[in-house]
Amino acid sequence: MTTTLRLLLLTVAVLAVGCVSPCHAYHRGDPVSVLQRSQYKGYRTEWAELMAKHAPRFAIDRTIKYNPVDSTKKYKSDQEYKIQLSVDDDRFLTSWISVNSGHGDYLRHLELELIYSGPNIINVKWHVDYHGRDLHGDRPDYIYVQYHWSEYSEIDSSFGLSFLLIVCAAATWVVAVMIVCRFDFKRKGKKAA
């Protein structure tokens, strides 16, 4: 097998491996895994996945009504109740978010900013908004969760120019070596004759 053919096969193999996308890549509208656990009176629940209707959809902004409180448990509003979220198969974890402070402050609005690049989530940020007791003294039945997607695209022109310079320099070097080898081969051929 000639050196040129080997080099060509190696180039094709490297390009083929580089073009294969990862298996966990998201497409627009795909559901993103979000798990929740809660803490009440010093006890923590196990992680439980949010239902599909409450989960974010990749690269689609939306706002939902969500009740983070476990309705099967007796819950007193004078006790602190917290939740923690895990996004994208435990890649991103929020800190404990207080749903009820135990002093009359309730979580009204939770904004999750999901930052993505290409088909992957690269960061998650969250912002909360609280309000005091309503006029009736009852806790709200739900909170608003807003999923906001931001695309991060890194354009590095200096890397592109450096890469182009290196490729051109390598191509120039290869052409120069080929010219020298041909010249030397022709010169040796003339001396032999």
Side-chain angles (χ1 to χ4, degrees), residues 36-39 45 50 54 65-71 75 81-85 97-100 107-108 110 139-145:
Q36 175 195 313
R37 67 178 175 171
S38 57
Q39 179 176 306
T45 63
L50 265 60
H54 295 131
K65 289 181 181 180
Y66 177 64
N67 183 4
V69 178
D70 185 359
S71 59
Y75 169 68
Y81 189 91
K82 300 178 186 178
I83 61 170
Q84 186 176 32
L85 301 175
I97 300 169
S98 182
V99 174
N100 173 19
L107 180 64
R108 171 182 22 191
L110 170 63
R139 68 174 175 84
D141 292 331
Y142 55 85
I143 61 172
Y144 289 101
V145 179

Side-chain angles (χ1 to χ4, degrees), residues 123-167:
N123 197 6
V124 175
K125 297 178 183 178
W126 58 96
H127 310 283
V128 294
D129 182 28
Y130 291 93
H131 64 85
R133 264 183 212 273
D134 65 4
L135 298 175
H136 304 292
D138 297 329
R139 68 174 175 84
D141 292 331
Y142 55 85
I143 61 172
Y144 289 101
V145 179
Q146 180 181 10
Y147 298 115
H148 176 70
W149 292 87
S150 299
E151 184 173 13
Y152 177 79
S153 59
E154 183 177 327
I155 300 173
D156 189 2
S157 59
S158 63
F159 173 76
L161 291 174
S162 299
F163 178 75
L164 186 60
L165 179 66
I166 290 169
V167 168

Side-chain angles (χ1 to χ4, degrees), residues 73-87:
K73 308 272 189 224
K74 292 289 184 184
Y75 169 68
K76 296 180 182 174
S77 58
D78 62 341
Q79 298 279 331
E80 186 175 34
Y81 189 91
K82 300 178 186 178
I83 61 170
Q84 186 176 32
L85 301 175
S86 168
V87 180

